[in-house]
Amino acid sequence: MAGFRSPDSGLRALRPEAFGADPSGERLARIRRSPHFRDGVFQNPGGVARTSPSSLLGFAKQYFDGDARRRRSPSAPIPVHPTTLADLARPPASGLRLTWMGHSSVLAEIDGARVLFDPVWGERCSPFPFAGPKRLHPAPLPLTALGPVDVIVISHDHYDHLDLPTIKTLAGTDTVFAVPLGVGAHLEHWGVAPDRLRELDWHESTAIAGLTLTATPARHFCGRGLRNTQHTLWASWAVAGERHRIFHSGDTGYFEGFRDIGAAHGPFDATMIQLGAYSEFWPDIHMTPKEALRAHLDLQGGSPGGVLLPIHWGTFNLAGHPWAEPAEWTADAAGDAGQRAAFPHPGRPFEPEGVLPTERWWRAVSPRIDRPWREQTGTPAEPGTTATAADADPGSPGTPGTGTRGGLDLAGDR
């Protein structure tokens, strides 16, 4: 009948633009041919990831507890370094420089090329501009001031890693995007030309600007809309230049595949490892700092090496643990293991082969940190570890434990 619209077409018309688009046509056919796609969904390494939906009431009590809510945010403005042209104009002396822009967004300058990982410049990681987790600090510089980028790497399609306002801005450039299988459907829907997409399955590689970028496995999930079809892949990324190798974990739980990634593509001069938004409610899809350190060591062949840059913490309030707990725990654990780790202010560039930023700057703007990872192993907390502004000791001995605190990522990792 002329003019008839099915209910599905009406629902599609009401679908928020930020939901993106579902894969179709040859893209969907390629997804179905993937060895990692089975029973209608992409499969995680190591089997189905555990979550605890039955613990929703327990989570809600934890997440909305008044004292816990205060601890999940900084107590004063986060000290952001306003990245300037002078910071980035001169090539890195070592050939490798990293600038953490907050959360999982990192600009990597490697062997003459510029790689931008998981750029999120939007105010909220949410499909809606009026609701959802809001930034706890401003972006260190306007996206338009970043300068030319050779490749933008996306780890997966959750809102805190794939941001519509950011992609809309970048769609007007000629930069190439390297993305996991299926994610290209979102980008095309938002105006990125198909010839600028390099869409990869796990273990596939592409060459861009003298670099080899390889999509490597991760233990996570995907989805942006109300109906999660699991038709877009999630990935970690190994990037190799002429002299340097780096790794970006995306979002992932710990799994033994890090050893295989390290054997095939490492060791790495630097790793950017997710270690925030961990929870006992979803132990297999995000890592605690203890697990993140273990992943880094696996990637290095089992021994300390390279530099660990903690990511996925500090910018958005996505979980139930205290705001600065991921950084404090990581600093303790890395020190115990003899592993070099960098803790830059958001926006401050550093070279992994040079002097690392190691000051525990978050203590000056953090509520008290109880450090349960010390208590659970019976290791006494050192004096002054309630994270006051006066307590800014850059190092601390001890033994990392297994403590985790949880919460729900309300708009990104649901």
Side-chain angles (χ1 to χ4, degrees):
M1 180 183 297
F4 172 78
R5 295 182 66 193
S6 70
D8 283 348
S9 65
L11 290 174
R12 283 194 297 270
L14 295 173
R15 176 182 174 128
E17 185 181 20
F19 279 9
D22 296 327
S24 60
E26 176 51 35
R27 178 176 280 118
L28 182 57
R30 186 181 171 203
I31 288 169
R32 289 170 172 162
R33 292 195 299 268
S34 168
H36 310 110
F37 189 82
R38 189 173 65 254
D39 300 328
V41 296
F42 279 111
Q43 303 291 322
N44 262 310
V48 176
R50 292 171 293 162
T51 58
S52 301
S54 61
S55 301
L56 185 59
L57 180 59
F59 148 72
K61 290 180 179 178
Q62 178 191 76
Y63 194 82
F64 295 107
D65 174 77
D67 185 55
R69 290 183 70 178
R70 285 187 291 274
R71 295 189 183 194
R72 289 202 308 274
S73 296
S75 56
I78 296 171
V80 174
H81 174 79
T83 315
T84 65
L85 181 61
D87 288 324
L88 303 176
R90 183 175 299 176
S94 64
L96 177 62
R97 181 166 59 207
L98 301 178
T99 307
W100 178 51
M101 299 296 178
H103 201 56
S104 295
S105 303
V106 181
L107 174 67
E109 299 167 273
I110 172 173
D111 298 341
R114 303 178 93 219
V115 183
L116 184 59
F117 291 95
D118 281 356
V120 174
W121 259 252
E123 280 300 304
R124 296 183 186 271
C125 50
S126 165
F128 309 108
F130 54 85
K134 190 175 182 180
R135 297 185 72 92
L136 299 175
H137 66 79
L141 80 169
L143 185 58
T144 53
L146 192 60
V149 174
D150 294 290
V151 56
I152 297 163
V153 176
I154 303 297
S155 64
H156 65 297
D157 70 359
H158 285 158
Y159 289 99
D160 57 324
H161 297 259
L162 182 62
D163 176 53
L164 172 60
T166 303
I167 299 302
K168 285 280 200 176
T169 299
L170 295 169
T173 70
D174 59 0
T175 303
V176 175
F177 288 78
V179 303
L181 200 57
V183 173
H186 299 311
L187 301 185
E188 283 190 39
H189 184 65
W190 297 333
V192 178
D195 62 0
R196 290 168 51 202
L197 296 175
R198 307 292 184 270
E199 207 162 340
L200 305 182
D201 201 347
W202 290 341
H203 309 299
E204 292 182 341
S205 300
T206 186
I208 303 170
L211 304 176
T212 299
L213 297 95
T214 304
T216 46
R219 187 164 171 77
H220 200 55
F221 69 110
C222 66
R224 294 179 72 84
L226 298 177
R227 185 172 60 92
N228 185 356
T229 61
Q230 293 289 83
H231 279 173
T232 62
L233 187 60
W234 48 96
S236 56
W237 289 86
V239 179
E242 185 177 349
R243 293 176 50 206
H244 295 93
R245 295 172 179 265
I246 58 178
F247 176 83
H248 189 284
S249 71
D251 275 1
T252 181
Y254 178 80
F255 67 112
E256 293 187 356
F258 286 116
R259 301 173 188 171
D260 297 329
I261 294 171
H265 304 286
F268 297 96
D269 298 284
T271 67
M272 297 153 272
I273 304 286
Q274 170 268 312
L275 45 73
Y278 44 84
S279 170
E280 63 266 32
F281 295 113
W282 47 82
D284 291 343
I285 59 173
H286 281 173
M287 290 190 288
T288 67
K290 179 183 178 182
E291 292 168 325
L293 174 63
R294 182 180 177 189
H296 172 89
L297 296 176
D298 285 353
L299 291 162
Q300 302 299 85
S303 301
V307 170
L308 166 63
L309 172 62
I311 61 171
H312 204 267
W313 78 278
T315 302
F316 297 105
N317 187 339
L318 302 178
H321 56 68
W323 170 71
E325 183 179 275
E328 190 77 16
W329 187 354
T330 303
D332 281 357
D336 296 341
Q339 172 59 53
R340 297 176 75 221
F343 299 95
H345 292 71
R348 185 178 294 280
F350 73 95
E351 298 192 31
E353 295 175 18
V355 177
L356 298 183
T358 58
E359 175 194 2
R360 300 194 188 198
W361 55 265
W362 53 87
R363 287 185 172 182
V365 297
S366 172
R368 188 186 73 207
I369 303 172
D370 292 331
R371 303 174 83 191
W373 56 95
R374 295 295 197 206
E375 299 163 7
Q376 290 184 5
T377 56
T379 304
E382 46 182 311
T385 54
T386 54
T388 66
D391 180 17
D393 171 43
S396 54
T399 304
T402 59
T404 64
R405 310 247 195 95
L408 181 63
D409 174 342
L410 296 178
D413 300 324
R414 293 176 298 280

